[in-house]
Amino acid sequence: MAALMFSGIRPASFFLLIAFLAFSPAGCYGDYGWQGGHATFYGGGDATGTMGGACGYGNLYSQGYGTLTAALSTALFNDGLSCGSCYEMRCNDDPRWCRPGSITVTATNFCPPNFALSNNNGGWCNPPLQHFDLAEPAFLQIAEYRAGIVPVAFRRVPCMKKGGMRFTVNGHSYFNLVLITNVGGAGDVHAVSIKGSRTGWQPMSRNWGQNWQSNSYLNGQSLSFQVTTSDGKTVTSYNVAPAGWQFGQTYEGGSLFLFFLLFTSRLTGSYGDYGWQSGHATFYGGGDASGTMGGACGYGNLYSQGYGTHTAALSTALFNDGLSCGSCYEMKCNDDPRWCLPGTITITATNFCPPNYALANNNGGWCNPPLQHFDMAEPAFLQIAQYRAGIVPVAFRRVPCVKKGGIRFTINGHSYFNLVLITNVAGAGDVHAVSIKGSRTGWQTMSRNWGQNWQSNSYLNGQSLSFRVTTSDGKTVTSYNVAPANWQFGQTFEGGQF
């Protein structure tokens, strides 16, 4: 984990400006980082209706976010942990309504689901849709007003901010509620610690949005902060607030995330070097990985399904309530010469590593939020680290999944309850939407039951079945007449592939 440390309350900004001028953010994730979604708009022509919101930023003008902002759907919002993240976006494949060029927006609000409306007719922010409700001025830079809703391509990019991170101290004695804004780099704060001039470092808990809470008595002490973003980078800002600080005041700390990331990058691999993130890894399942079978993705026997022993259970911060099942990660042991082995491996997400709140995050509670953690199958772990290490720091990034053969559809359930397990998905790997079609029906949207088991309540017995599968990058494969009319529950059929 790299840490940039600053003395005083205001950083030098010259180097950050050089980084902005010397590098274009457009390539930071690489082309594989582009995903598909949709965008609408809200808030009026001056975006005054976007103020406030679920991230807690309040007045977006005075906080420096302006009108290039968006409310994220459930699939992107991550219960508020995505607040502050930045996305490059362009209107995609709709020549009637699209305008050329791209914009970069910051996530500042939540677009709630509307389950009274269908996903394709008003329920735009329903899970598992990846949707942006843009501030109207931002929307109008990429699409015509009359469009209402347009398809978009988007990708995460580094956030460019002027000046340092800002800490607004609210609350009262024994309840310090600190709003953190203007964060560069990854932008989305995942961990914060606070230190008074008469205390040690104390972890803060996230109260809501990007409001972080400490229940310590810190009045009359100068305050320092350590802020860690989702890519594992940490900035320590010493003595940001003087001993005479008051509730309601805002103080400015350090911020050279982007300078560090861009000037140390080598731009390798399918996401680009900015796609590398930091986390930790442990192992489970025994020397033959037999203990990894089953699991929260529903894949069952990982040997027969083709996943083998290069698998991992993901922590809450990565699992995305099962939507990450099937995604692939390149990984290497990082900065621990005593235990690390050279080289990288690629693993597939096949299980969930549950949190253990009875243990501290740094002492056994490895999978507690907001930690990015991989509990790997033991044979995979032993390819990058020594057995005796137990836990090691890792660098990881999303990569395309490479699979043999087509997508597999295993049909379980019974009449009027078709539960289809989808496995062996290449490309992005993680299925986000599925439709099914019988030979005597039209296309019908399936709902995700759990893991990668998708459900239809239609009566489809005696009909050949077709499937349409969409992954998180917006790509879709349609497999026609995969299952013949005489299919039986419990059988597996193979379709097309990404």
Side-chain angles (χ1 to χ4, degrees):
M1 182 179 294
L4 300 175
M5 301 183 181
F6 301 88
S7 298
I9 63 172
R10 189 171 181 87
S13 58
F14 173 75
F15 292 104
L16 189 58
L17 176 61
I18 294 297
F20 291 164
L21 295 176
F23 291 87
S24 165
C28 292
Y29 269 92
D31 272 346
Y32 189 71
W34 286 104
Q35 301 182 52
H38 284 81
T40 48
F41 63 89
Y42 79 118
D46 59 359
T48 53
T50 67
M51 303 297 116
C55 292
Y57 293 148
N59 188 317
L60 300 179
Y61 297 150
S62 61
Q63 293 287 12
Y65 295 105
T67 62
L68 291 184
T69 63
L72 305 188
S73 64
T74 302
L76 295 167
F77 191 62
N78 197 15
D79 195 28
L81 281 172
S82 294
C83 289
S85 55
C86 294
Y87 300 84
E88 183 184 8
M89 186 179 304
R90 62 190 181 210
C91 188
N92 201 33
D93 296 329
D94 194 340
R96 182 182 178 191
W97 302 117
C98 287
R99 291 178 171 172
S102 66
I103 59 171
T104 297
V105 297
T106 304
T108 59
N109 203 353
F110 174 50
C111 181
N114 184 347
F115 296 114
L117 299 176
S118 65
N119 289 14
N120 62 355
N121 188 23
W124 315 123
C125 291
N126 294 349
L129 301 181
Q130 298 189 118
H131 189 88
F132 297 83
D133 202 16
L134 297 170
E136 184 178 319
F139 182 91
L140 294 182
Q141 290 192 40
I142 61 170
E144 300 288 341
Y145 179 93
R146 291 177 57 202
I149 180 171
V150 292
V152 295
F154 69 93
R155 61 179 170 183
R156 280 287 298 275
V157 293
C159 299
M160 295 182 177
K161 302 298 178 187
K162 295 179 181 178
M165 283 179 283
R166 300 189 191 119
F167 303 88
T168 302
V169 186
N170 296 305
H172 51 77
S173 301
Y174 295 102
F175 180 73
N176 309 284
L177 193 65
V178 180
L179 171 64
I180 301 177
T181 58
N182 203 54
V183 181
D188 49 348
V189 177
H190 276 217
V192 182
S193 293
I194 191 171
K195 181 185 181 300
S197 50
R198 298 192 299 272
T199 73
W201 286 105
Q202 305 169 20
M204 304 184 78
S205 58
R206 194 169 63 91
N207 188 291
W208 67 283
Q210 287 298 352
N211 286 277
W212 294 77
Q213 171 184 339
S214 166
N215 294 328
S216 297
Y217 185 82
L218 297 170
N219 298 42
Q221 303 178 55
S222 60
L223 303 181
S224 303
F225 295 92
Q226 284 181 341
V227 175
T228 302
T229 46
S230 62
D231 56 359
K233 302 295 186 293
T234 298
V235 162
T236 302
S237 301
Y238 289 103
N239 302 317
V240 168
W245 63 267
Q246 300 292 318
F247 290 107
Q249 292 182 332
T250 299
Y251 305 92
E252 191 166 311
S255 180
L256 282 181
F257 281 92
L258 190 56
F259 173 78
F260 179 85
L261 290 167
L262 294 175
F263 272 81
T264 57
S265 69
R266 291 174 295 169
L267 297 178
T268 60
S270 53
Y271 265 94
D273 206 48
Y274 187 74
W276 286 103
Q277 300 183 52
S278 299
H280 285 80
T282 48
F283 62 89
Y284 79 116
D288 61 356
S290 57
T292 66
M293 302 298 117
C297 292
Y299 293 147
N301 188 318
L302 300 179
Y303 298 150
S304 61
Q305 294 287 13
Y307 295 105
T309 62
H310 280 197
T311 63
L314 306 188
S315 64
T316 302
L318 295 167
F319 191 63
N320 198 12
D321 195 29
L323 281 172
S324 295
C325 288
S327 55
C328 295
Y329 300 83
E330 184 183 8
M331 187 178 304
K332 59 190 176 188
C333 187
N334 199 35
D335 295 330
D336 194 340
R338 181 182 181 192
W339 300 119
C340 287
L341 298 175
T344 68
I345 61 169
T346 298
I347 53 98
T348 304
T350 59
N351 202 355
F352 174 51
C353 181
N356 184 347
Y357 297 113
L359 299 176
N361 288 15
N362 62 353
N363 189 23
W366 314 124
C367 291
N368 294 350
L371 301 182
Q372 299 190 119
H373 189 90
F374 297 82
D375 201 16
M376 302 174 68
E378 184 178 318
F381 182 91
L382 295 182
Q383 290 192 37
I384 61 170
Q386 302 285 340
Y387 179 93
R388 291 179 56 199
I391 180 172
V392 292
V394 295
F396 68 94
R397 62 179 171 184
R398 280 286 299 276
V399 293
C401 299
V402 178
K403 302 297 180 186
K404 295 180 180 179
I407 303 171
R408 300 189 191 118
F409 304 89
T410 301
I411 307 173
N412 297 304
H414 52 76
S415 302
Y416 294 103
F417 180 73
N418 308 284
L419 193 65
V420 180
L421 171 64
I422 301 177
T423 59
N424 201 54
V425 182
D430 49 348
V431 177
H432 276 217
V434 182
S435 295
I436 190 171
K437 179 185 182 301
S439 51
R440 299 192 298 272
T441 75
W443 286 104
Q444 303 171 18
T445 303
M446 303 185 78
S447 60
R448 193 169 64 89
N449 188 290
W450 67 284
Q452 285 299 352
N453 286 278
W454 294 78
Q455 172 183 339
S456 166
N457 294 329
S458 297
Y459 184 81
L460 297 170
N461 299 39
Q463 303 179 54
S464 60
L465 302 181
S466 302
F467 295 93
R468 182 171 288 157
V469 174
T470 302
T471 47
S472 63
D473 57 358
K475 294 185 171 63
T476 298
V477 163
T478 302
S479 302
Y480 290 100
N481 302 315
V482 168
N486 61 347
W487 62 266
Q488 300 292 317
F489 290 107
Q491 291 181 328
T492 299
F493 304 93
E494 190 166 311
Q497 186 59 278
F498 289 92

